[in-house]
Structure formats: structure tokens, C-alpha cells
Amino acid sequence: MTESKEKLYKAVEHHCEGDSTGHDWWHIYRVVKLALRIGEQENVNIELVEIAALMHDLDDWKLSSDSENYPNARKLLKENNFDQSTIDRVIEIVEQVSFKGAGVDTTPRSIEAMVVQDADRLDAIGAIGVARAFAFGGSKGRPLYAPEVEPQMHQSFEEYKQSKGHTINHFYEKLLLLKDRLNTNTAKEIATERHKFMQLFLDQFYKEWNI
Ligand code: ADP
Ligand code: NI
């Protein structure tokens, strides 16, 4: 690993310290690993995929009030001597990663962005996805479940951003939709088992709830 990349890893790890919303360093680490694995099977610039996966949540709208200009990602890349053209290409990928609501098209434009988006989405489903959803909900003061509140298929990013529903609804509003919104075959294969596990989790949850 080059020295500046190694420093960048450390800087991102440091930046994520103390996160309890499911966007901690280990989420970033898993997304980088998944992105490299998926990227191996595709014709991508793997270096850009790696750096974009590493930077993808530093300015996430859920965590940061000034997410539009990607100040944290830009700052860390600059401080670690990445040139302006690399910075711009990384930001262009990062911009395309996030889910924006059930009714909002977020199909990426480049294969690099497709790979990073798939990696991020895989870490939102399966057992880890379940754990992250409740960690996020807890960090925002949301209830686990409220049977009277129905899921909403958000038709705009604005609507999705405003939503404050309970965490079980998040499965219907996002997590269960992800397996059909993946870009690469590698990710689709990995998703099958993870998706089944979430369904099993929900079945058991309702069984216990309705005893
Ligand atoms: P994205 O950028 O696609 O949202 P992230 O890496 O930022 O992906 O992580 C999204 C994760 O945050 C979700 O998988 C989920 O665990 C959590 N999350 C986001 N919104 C909610 C919500 N309303 N309720 C529960 N969890 C949520
Ligand atoms: Ni993420």
C-alpha cells in the first residue's frame, strides 16, 4: 500500500471514532472489502473503487449537515496528497452511492459507482443489516416497531429524508428492496442468502410480537 493510502485509511478510521449509528469504521472496512471483491470481477479502476468505498460515508446526509459539498472527504484526500483530478473522480463516485427512497432512481452512471453502491447495499442487508438498522434507529430515538404505522414508499429524496418511522418499517421502505436494485452479478449472488435471512428475522419477530 502506498504511504498516502495507508495514511488515508488511518484518517478515516480516526474520523469514524465514536459512531454508534451503524456507520462506524467497521462498516467502512466491510464496504471496502466487499467493493474490492466485487470489483475484481468487473472491468474497473480498482484504485478509485477502493478510495471511494473508503470515503463513501464521511459526508453522508444522515450524519452530516453539510453533505452536499463533501467537505470531509475532500479535506482528507487533500491532506493526504491526492491530486485534484483523483479527488474529483472519487467524489463523483461517492455522490452516486446513497439510497434516496423507494421511488427514487439511484442507478449509478459508472461501473466504479455501481460496485461501491453494491458493496454499501450488501452491508445494509443480512444479519449485519438487521443489527445496523436497529443501531441507527436507536441512535435517532426511533421505536423498534409500532404496528399501527404503515410503511411508506417515498417518491422523493426530500420525503425519504423527512421520514421518522419505526425501524421495522425501514425493512419495507428500503432493506427488502435492495436485492433487486443491485448492479453486479457478484453482489446479486451474495445478496440471496442475506435477503432470506432478513425475511426469516421478520417472520420470527412477528411470531414473538403476536404471541
Ligand atoms: P445509504 O447511503 O444507502 O443510506 P449507508 O451506508 O449510509 O447507506 O447506511 C444505511 C443504513 O443506515 C441502513 O442500512 C440502515 O441500517 C440505516 N438506516 C438508514 N435509515 C434508517 C431508518 N429510517 N431506520 C433504520 N435504519 C436506517
Ligand atoms: Ni455506507
Side-chain angles (χ1 to χ4, degrees):
M1 203 188 288
T2 61
E3 198 185 324
S4 51
K5 202 157 83 181
E6 203 167 318
K7 282 192 178 153
L8 190 64
Y9 268 82
K10 286 280 158 223
V12 174
E13 187 173 354
H14 180 68
H15 183 94
C16 296
E17 257 166 33
D19 177 274
S20 56
T21 70
H23 296 80
D24 54 18
W25 164 247
W26 291 109
H27 165 62
I28 309 301
Y29 176 85
R30 291 188 303 267
V31 171
V32 171
K33 248 188 356 182
L34 277 165
L36 289 172
R37 178 160 159 205
I38 299 165
E40 260 174 31
Q41 308 299 322
E42 308 291 329
N43 185 12
V44 291
N45 180 330
I46 200 76
E47 186 77 7
L48 276 186
V49 163
E50 181 180 8
I51 307 291
L54 190 59
M55 312 311 280
H56 86 275
D57 266 338
L58 290 178
D59 299 286
D60 189 272
W61 62 270
K62 295 186 284 315
L63 315 171
S64 151
S65 53
D66 174 25
S67 56
E68 254 169 51
N69 298 311
Y70 301 88
N72 293 319
R74 286 186 193 282
K75 178 167 170 278
L76 292 195
L77 287 165
K78 215 173 189 119
E79 279 173 4
N80 289 286
N81 304 318
F82 285 82
D83 59 59
Q84 194 55 46
S85 124
T86 307
I87 298 177
D88 291 342
R89 288 160 80 195
V90 167
I91 301 295
E92 199 183 326
I93 297 172
V94 170
E95 273 172 351
Q96 300 177 57
V97 172
S98 219
F99 185 82
K100 296 195 164 84
V104 183
D105 182 13
T106 46
T107 313
R109 300 181 297 276
S110 72
I111 182 68
E112 284 79 12
M114 287 182 182
V115 168
V116 179
Q117 186 186 69
D118 278 1
D120 193 31
R121 290 183 171 185
L122 286 175
D123 204 57
I125 63 175
I128 287 180
V130 171
R132 291 185 67 221
F134 289 101
F136 183 90
S139 78
K140 303 282 173 194
R142 311 240 175 109
L144 302 181
Y145 181 41
E148 72 285 5
V149 185
E150 301 269 317
Q152 289 176 40
M153 296 297 118
H154 303 106
Q155 297 304 311
S156 73
F157 188 29
E158 281 314 307
E159 256 180 68
Y160 180 64
K161 276 199 270 195
Q162 305 295 329
S163 91
K164 298 213 163 24
H166 59 80
T167 300
I168 289 290
N169 266 354
H170 190 61
F171 286 80
Y172 300 96
E173 294 169 351
K174 173 181 175 191
L175 306 183
L176 293 168
L177 310 175
L178 292 180
K179 81 165 175 40
D180 295 325
R181 297 185 185 203
L182 295 167
N183 308 292
T184 64
N185 287 334
T186 312
K188 287 176 194 167
E189 268 168 38
I190 300 173
T192 308
E193 188 188 19
R194 296 185 184 203
H195 183 83
K196 275 195 206 133
F197 180 80
M198 287 193 297
Q199 287 177 316
L200 195 70
F201 168 79
L202 288 170
D203 289 347
Q204 180 71 17
F205 187 96
Y206 297 128
K207 197 166 151 193
E208 294 175 17
W209 189 278
N210 293 314
I211 201 166

